Amino acid sequence: MLKMTYDQILDYLENNRLEQLKEKVNKLHPADTAQIINELPDEYQTLTFKLLNHEIASDVLPDLYDEVREEILENIQQNQLVKIIDEMETDEATDIISELEEEVSKEVLEKIDEEESRTIKQLLRYDEESAGGLMQTEIIAVYKSKKRDELIEYIRGNYEEVENIHYVFVIDDENKLIGILDLTKLLLARPERMAEDIMDKDVISVRVDLDQEQVANIFRKYDIYTLPVVDEENHLLGRITVDDIIDVIDEEASEDAYKMVGLESEDRVFTSPFSSVRKRLPWLTLNLFTALLVSSVVGIFEQTIARLSFLAVLMPIVAGLGGNSGIQTLTVITRGIALGELTIRNTYRAIYKEISVGLINGIIIGSCAMLIAYLLKGDIMLGVVLGSAMVCNMFIAGLVGSLIPIIMRMLKIDPALASSVIITMLTDIGGFASFLGLATVLLL
Amino acid sequence: MLKMTYDQILDYLENNRLEQLKEKVNKLHPADTAQIINELPDEYQTLTFKLLNHEIASDVLPDLYDEVREEILENIQQNQLVKIIDEMETDEATDIISELEEEVSKEVLEKIDEEESRTIKQLLRYDEESAGGLMQTEIIAVYKSKKRDELIEYIRGNYEEVENIHYVFVIDDENKLIGILDLTKLLLARPERMAEDIMDKDVISVRVDLDQEQVANIFRKYDIYTLPVVDEENHLLGRITVDDIIDVIDEEASEDAYKMVGLESEDRVFTSPFSSVRKRLPWLTLNLFTALLVSSVVGIFEQTIARLSFLAVLMPIVAGLGGNSGIQTLTVITRGIALGELTIRNTYRAIYKEISVGLINGIIIGSCAMLIAYLLKGDIMLGVVLGSAMVCNMFIAGLVGSLIPIIMRMLKIDPALASSVIITMLTDIGGFASFLGLATVLLL
């Protein structure tokens, strides 16, 4: 159905029927509009966006791909942008403002609603990837002594400002968070009941500086829908809602998958080729150097290869298996860290396990390889050399594949950066050195 | 803090102080208890679980790792299990029942609450990875003509049964879904208002047979908290809540990351070593065969290598860069498919883009390699051979890295299965064939 809509919109654009287009795009769900704009040819994206009324535009803008949004933000008139940002919730407005050039963002902050401007300036100070960077300040917070009907009237007065309320936060006189109140409970409460009588005192909250990955872990673990954010003295600052956490989870999963192979998050399917080239080149250059390092290790044994050229034929087997099992280990460990399963307490067990798996798999696969080499070349010693090198290599794979991300995590470097390049470099070096080294000793 | 609790619990267990332990674990949040049991030494896991009262146990059981749960389900008494399942919501009860051995599950289904049993038997028919497999049947559904106070009384009567209500579904006389009603609106409505007056008619719903990945995409896109599930005639069957979707998203992200390197989802950080070995061996065996294939291609050129042994020294450079840039492309495409960014409409653009990136990066990196080879060996032709092979190889990387997952998706095979093994086999073969082939022609 969305495909039909897309074709229709493209048709309007190509025939310059902007009036019909305007009517159409302002009636769609903003999420659908965003998806369509993302997929439109570049030259139509800004044009289509400009046809949206401010309220719709404020919902569409955050859902656009970063590159599309960047282009639109550069081409939109400032007074339009001000109106759009005025319609946004503070968390999204902050994200947009932080993407503007400094000069533009200053001007916009002066022109938008004064209170919102103050809040955004406050929010801009938090790290984008922390609880503070995720939270919105539009919340319903009530004093503990308020009675049911007063609460309802308070919600009525603030209903327009806060989307998806679901929960009311209960605070004391000092604005400290003391409880959370599900609207269902409020709906069923007797009139004389006060907030503190019906609230849940076991409220889970997070400090404003907590990293977004850990915030996501709290949502994962406790199956909650909204999470209050507090400062170090438990003053209520804002809330994070679960829909934003889904974005965080997607972002972190992409990031982990991407970092492991040296990609930047912004390198998406439809990032322009030149931008992708620029983003991938540094890693490929690093890769060229690690490959040269591996090559220089092989170079040590050039004389051996000159005399026994079939060693070169078998080299891809040693390298392939070691590299792939190293990346398997790396993936298990990185994912375990991301999902919060791997803690400092159980680190040794994890490394021990991966080494064992590498060793056992190495013995099994190495034996097969030994047999195959023997059958192909009729040389039992060659089989022994190949098999031993593979055991050695897959042991190294288990060791470096687990140890390196864990060490990096201890050093507070993102473990996903222990990318495949480093792991395969180490398994290649280990594999070739043991294979060609053993061959030099046993076969020459 | 949880670490302190863990140590304390382990201490109770080691000193056999089960009374204190029982008191402790029944006071914790079930999510914390689950995490602690997951991390306890194997011999204490079932013992600790058995100390939980049924309500807590019903919340802990779904949060355990599959292997831990399997062990516990085998060792728990049936009448205990029946009581625990009676406390569960239908979606979770169905998951647990589906994990039991057939005979046990039949017996349990006979003993639990009759209505719940009937519902679970119904739910068991849906594919586990479809909307039907995710939904729970505990919902608040009201007729459109009900007035506010009737609605509130209805919610009061069903409050105990349904967790996290937040929304009421509105149905007509035939049980067909016609709207959704945010509790906030109900709270603020005047008494004489009927459900159909205040409901939102633009309700987003899904068919019961929709795949869970697409269900997750709907949550992602529309930022919703709860999603009604209907049959082909729009009869309301149940709902899916966002907390279950977070599990789906994590599961799918792990699965994608895992499949790309040939891992099974159940191969976690603390899966036992032998179980991990068994799970990884088939893929490593496949890998051994692809490596043999690559090796046989190199074998064609054994005579060339025998005469020019430094070619073997340079081989890791060709293989490394091609393999890594192929995996980069594979990751971008697979992630684009997972997040729903890549559609049939824009496929050609994606392939074209990845080929361009591969080619441009190949020319840049290939030129560097050419220069390095020339500087090291003083042989301009050697540089040309190496550089050309790398351009060729990285072009192949862009082609197969994008084409293969896209073709697999068209054939309805999971694109993540176009794993690194296949891609690196193809880039290795392409790289070695062009490198050694060119060397044979130009250098001999």
Side-chain angles (χ1 to χ4, degrees):
Chain A
M1 220 183 70
L2 199 60
K3 165 138 182 58
M4 272 175 54
T5 314
Y6 177 90
D7 292 343
Q8 200 180 7
I9 285 176
L10 193 59
D11 185 61
Y12 288 155
L13 280 161
E14 282 168 350
N15 295 298
N16 210 24
R17 288 159 64 188
L18 297 186
E19 271 313 307
Q20 281 108 318
L21 177 63
K22 184 171 180 169
E23 199 182 328
K24 183 88 193 169
V25 290
N26 279 300
K27 266 198 238 155
L28 291 175
H29 191 294
D32 291 325
T33 307
Q35 190 182 333
I36 288 170
I37 292 181
N38 278 332
E39 292 182 12
L40 280 174
D42 298 355
E43 65 267 33
Y44 292 137
Q45 290 173 334
T46 307
L47 176 63
T48 308
F49 182 82
K50 282 184 175 170
L51 297 174
L52 300 173
N53 67 47
H54 303 136
E55 210 187 317
I56 303 274
S58 76
D59 287 332
V60 169
L61 198 55
D63 279 0
L64 296 172
Y65 294 161
D66 291 12
E67 294 209 329
V68 178
R69 187 169 52 243
E70 198 180 311
E71 181 69 23
I72 287 173
L73 288 176
E74 273 172 25
N75 289 297
I76 199 172
Q77 285 185 317
Q78 210 180 81
N79 60 342
Q80 295 300 310
L81 184 59
V82 168
K83 282 179 194 160
I84 292 170
I85 289 179
D86 265 333
E87 294 282 343
M88 285 185 179
E89 300 195 336
T90 46
D91 54 342
E92 287 171 343
T94 306
D95 290 343
I96 300 294
I97 300 255
S98 71
E99 288 174 24
L100 298 172
E101 295 191 16
E102 208 183 317
E103 212 162 303
V104 183
S105 78
K106 261 188 198 159
E107 285 172 28
V108 169
L109 278 171
E110 268 171 36
K111 287 181 189 163
I112 59 172
D113 175 83
E114 206 174 317
E115 200 193 316
E116 196 177 353
S117 175
R118 221 174 311 124
T119 308
I120 292 173
K121 280 179 196 157
Q122 180 65 43
L123 289 178
L124 279 170
R125 278 187 225 139
Y126 301 118
D127 181 349
E128 221 184 305
E129 303 206 336
S130 71
L134 291 172
M135 74 178 180
Q136 53 180 193
T137 54
E138 291 88 351
I139 49 173
I140 307 275
V142 296
Y143 289 113
K144 59 181 181 174
S145 56
K146 289 276 182 208
K147 293 211 174 120
R148 190 197 73 175
D149 289 348
E150 292 174 304
L151 291 178
I152 294 178
E153 285 319 304
Y154 183 76
I155 294 172
R156 194 187 307 281
N158 292 276
Y159 175 68
E160 293 289 321
E161 300 261 303
V162 189
E163 279 180 45
N164 296 314
I165 299 179
H166 304 314
Y167 293 91
V168 168
F169 302 111
V170 185
I171 49 177
D172 65 13
D173 302 337
E174 293 172 19
N175 193 29
K176 288 185 179 171
L177 178 70
I178 58 166
I180 188 167
L181 174 51
D182 188 328
L183 282 195
T184 316
K185 276 198 174 171
L186 186 58
L187 190 73
L188 303 178
R190 291 193 311 273
E192 71 276 14
R193 302 281 271 173
M194 292 191 295
E196 65 178 333
D197 301 330
I198 45 177
M199 73 183 186
D200 186 352
K201 285 188 195 74
D202 290 332
V203 51
I204 298 164
S205 64
V206 289
R207 279 271 301 273
V208 68
D209 53 1
L210 194 72
D211 182 76
Q212 66 173 8
E213 206 162 348
Q214 285 169 282
V215 174
N217 280 339
I218 289 174
F219 274 88
R220 275 192 183 105
K221 186 168 162 185
Y222 297 107
D223 290 348
I224 48 180
Y225 293 76
T226 191
L227 181 65
V229 180
V230 296
D231 66 13
E232 61 274 27
E233 285 166 331
N234 203 33
H235 295 113
L236 181 62
L237 301 175
R239 67 164 185 175
I240 300 172
T241 52
V242 66
D243 50 313
D244 294 326
I245 289 304
I246 289 188
D247 296 340
V248 170
I249 290 177
D250 279 336
E251 204 183 298
E252 297 274 342
S254 287
E255 242 182 65
D256 282 355
Y258 268 38
K259 273 188 205 143
M260 256 180 62
V261 296
L263 290 165
E264 282 179 43
S265 319
E266 274 319 303
D267 196 343
R268 308 279 277 262
V269 176
F270 294 111
T271 306
S272 76
F274 284 96
S275 167
S276 284
V277 165
R278 216 177 44 235
K279 283 174 178 149
R280 294 184 204 176
L281 258 184
W283 192 74
L284 290 171
T285 309
L286 168 69
N287 197 181
L288 182 59
F289 281 96
T290 62
L292 282 168
L293 222 75
V294 173
S295 163
S296 69
V297 171
V298 177
I300 301 173
F301 303 99
E302 194 180 329
Q303 289 316 310
T304 307
I305 296 171
R307 290 176 55 191
L308 303 169
S309 56
F310 53 84
L311 291 179
V313 177
L314 297 177
M315 274 168 55
I317 301 178
V318 179
L321 272 288
N324 279 318
S325 66
I327 289 174
Q328 284 190 324
T329 293
L330 179 66
T331 304
V332 171
I333 298 287
T334 311
R335 199 70 199 139
I337 292 175
L339 294 179
E341 290 174 11
L342 196 75
T343 58
I344 292 173
R345 186 162 62 243
N346 53 32
T347 294
Y348 292 107
R349 231 172 97 203
I351 298 174
Y352 174 78
K353 184 211 144 175
E354 288 300 326
I355 294 178
S356 315
V357 173
L359 205 54
I360 300 170
N361 275 331
I363 291 171
I364 299 172
I365 296 284
S367 307
C368 296
M370 180 164 77
L371 194 69
I372 292 170
Y374 172 64
L375 292 176
L376 288 178
K377 294 274 168 186
D379 181 347
I380 186 78
M381 280 317 276
L382 178 66
V384 171
V385 168
L386 178 64
S388 314
M390 288 177 75
V391 175
C392 194
N393 197 14
M394 287 172 79
F395 170 80
I396 294 173
L399 181 70
V400 298
S402 56
L403 201 58
I404 289 186
I406 288 173
I407 289 175
M408 290 179 83
R409 188 197 181 204
M410 284 177 176
L411 299 176
K412 310 242 177 236
I413 307 169
D414 190 326
L417 281 172
S419 60
S420 50
V421 162
I422 307 297
I423 302 295
T424 52
M425 178 187 76
L426 294 172
T427 55
D428 274 358
I429 289 178
F432 290 144
S434 52
F435 178 57
L436 298 172
L438 279 173
T440 307
V441 174
L442 296 178
L443 300 181
L444 278 188
Chain B
M1 222 184 71
L2 200 58
K3 166 139 180 55
M4 272 175 54
T5 314
Y6 176 89
D7 291 343
Q8 201 179 6
I9 285 176
L10 193 60
D11 185 60
Y12 287 155
L13 280 163
E14 282 168 349
N15 295 297
N16 209 24
R17 287 160 64 187
L18 299 186
E19 272 312 308
Q20 282 107 320
L21 178 61
K22 183 170 181 171
E23 199 182 331
K24 183 89 192 171
V25 288
N26 279 301
K27 266 198 240 154
L28 292 175
H29 192 293
D32 290 326
T33 307
Q35 190 182 333
I36 287 170
I37 292 180
N38 277 333
E39 292 183 12
L40 279 174
D42 298 356
E43 65 268 30
Y44 292 137
Q45 291 173 333
T46 307
L47 176 63
T48 309
F49 183 82
K50 283 184 175 170
L51 296 175
L52 301 173
N53 68 46
H54 303 134
E55 210 187 317
I56 304 273
S58 76
D59 287 332
V60 169
L61 198 56
D63 279 0
L64 295 172
Y65 294 161
D66 291 13
E67 294 208 329
V68 178
R69 186 168 53 242
E70 200 180 309
E71 181 70 22
I72 287 174
L73 287 176
E74 273 172 25
N75 288 297
I76 200 173
Q77 284 185 318
Q78 210 181 80
N79 61 341
Q80 295 301 308
L81 184 57
V82 167
K83 282 179 193 159
I84 292 169
I85 289 180
D86 264 333
E87 293 283 343
M88 284 184 179
E89 299 194 338
T90 47
D91 54 342
E92 287 171 343
T94 306
D95 290 344
I96 300 293
I97 299 255
S98 71
E99 287 175 24
L100 297 173
E101 296 193 15
E102 209 183 317
E103 212 162 304
V104 183
S105 79
K106 262 189 197 158
E107 284 173 27
V108 170
L109 278 171
E110 269 171 35
K111 288 183 188 161
I112 60 171
D113 175 82
E114 206 174 318
E115 201 193 316
E116 196 176 353
S117 175
R118 220 173 313 123
T119 309
I120 291 172
K121 281 178 194 157
Q122 180 65 42
L123 289 178
L124 280 169
R125 280 189 223 138
Y126 301 118
D127 180 350
E128 218 184 310
E129 302 205 336
S130 71
L134 290 172
M135 75 178 179
Q136 54 181 193
T137 56
E138 289 88 351
I139 50 174
I140 307 274
V142 297
Y143 290 112
K144 59 182 182 174
S145 57
K146 290 274 181 208
K147 294 207 173 126
R148 191 198 71 175
D149 289 348
E150 293 174 304
L151 292 178
I152 294 177
E153 284 319 304
Y154 183 76
I155 294 171
R156 194 186 305 282
N158 292 275
Y159 175 67
E160 292 289 322
E161 299 263 302
V162 189
E163 279 180 43
N164 296 315
I165 298 178
H166 304 315
Y167 294 90
V168 168
F169 302 111
V170 185
I171 50 177
D172 65 12
D173 302 339
E174 294 172 18
N175 193 31
K176 287 185 180 172
L177 178 69
I178 58 168
I180 189 168
L181 175 51
D182 188 327
L183 282 196
T184 316
K185 276 198 173 170
L186 186 58
L187 189 72
L188 304 178
R190 291 195 311 273
E192 70 275 16
R193 302 281 271 174
M194 292 191 295
E196 64 178 335
D197 302 330
I198 45 176
M199 72 183 187
D200 186 352
K201 285 188 194 73
D202 292 331
V203 51
I204 297 164
S205 64
V206 288
R207 279 270 300 274
V208 68
D209 53 1
L210 194 72
D211 182 77
Q212 66 172 8
E213 205 161 350
Q214 285 170 281
V215 174
N217 279 340
I218 289 174
F219 273 88
R220 275 192 182 103
K221 186 167 162 186
Y222 297 107
D223 290 348
I224 48 180
Y225 293 76
T226 191
L227 182 65
V229 180
V230 296
D231 66 13
E232 61 273 27
E233 286 165 331
N234 203 33
H235 295 115
L236 182 61
L237 300 176
R239 68 164 185 174
I240 300 171
T241 51
V242 66
D243 50 315
D244 294 327
I245 289 304
I246 289 188
D247 296 339
V248 169
I249 290 176
D250 279 336
E251 203 182 299
E252 298 274 342
S254 288
E255 243 182 64
D256 282 356
Y258 269 38
K259 273 188 205 141
M260 255 179 64
V261 296
L263 288 166
E264 283 179 41
S265 319
E266 274 319 305
D267 197 344
R268 309 278 278 264
V269 176
F270 293 111
T271 307
S272 74
F274 284 96
S275 166
S276 283
V277 165
R278 217 176 43 235
K279 283 172 178 149
R280 294 184 203 176
L281 258 184
W283 192 74
L284 290 172
T285 309
L286 168 70
N287 197 181
L288 182 59
F289 281 97
T290 62
L292 282 169
L293 222 77
V294 174
S295 162
S296 69
V297 172
V298 178
I300 300 172
F301 304 99
E302 193 180 329
Q303 290 314 311
T304 307
I305 296 171
R307 290 174 56 191
L308 304 168
S309 55
F310 55 84
L311 292 179
V313 176
L314 297 177
M315 274 168 55
I317 300 177
V318 179
L321 272 289
N324 279 318
S325 67
I327 290 174
Q328 284 191 325
T329 294
L330 179 66
T331 303
V332 171
I333 298 287
T334 311
R335 197 72 198 138
I337 292 175
L339 295 178
E341 289 174 12
L342 195 75
T343 59
I344 292 175
R345 185 161 66 243
N346 53 32
T347 294
Y348 292 106
R349 232 171 97 204
I351 298 174
Y352 174 78
K353 183 212 144 176
E354 288 301 326
I355 295 178
S356 316
V357 173
L359 204 54
I360 300 169
N361 276 330
I363 291 170
I364 299 171
I365 295 284
S367 307
C368 295
M370 181 163 78
L371 194 70
I372 291 171
Y374 171 66
L375 292 177
L376 287 179
K377 294 274 168 187
D379 181 347
I380 187 79
M381 280 317 278
L382 178 67
V384 170
V385 168
L386 179 64
S388 314
M390 287 178 76
V391 175
C392 195
N393 197 14
M394 286 172 81
F395 171 79
I396 294 174
L399 182 70
V400 299
S402 57
L403 202 58
I404 289 187
I406 287 172
I407 289 176
M408 290 180 82
R409 187 198 181 205
M410 284 176 176
L411 300 175
K412 310 243 176 232
I413 307 169
D414 189 327
L417 281 172
S419 59
S420 50
V421 163
I422 307 296
I423 303 295
T424 52
M425 178 188 75
L426 293 171
T427 55
D428 274 359
I429 290 178
F432 290 144
S434 53
F435 179 57
L436 298 172
L438 280 173
T440 307
V441 175
L442 297 178
L443 299 181
L444 276 191

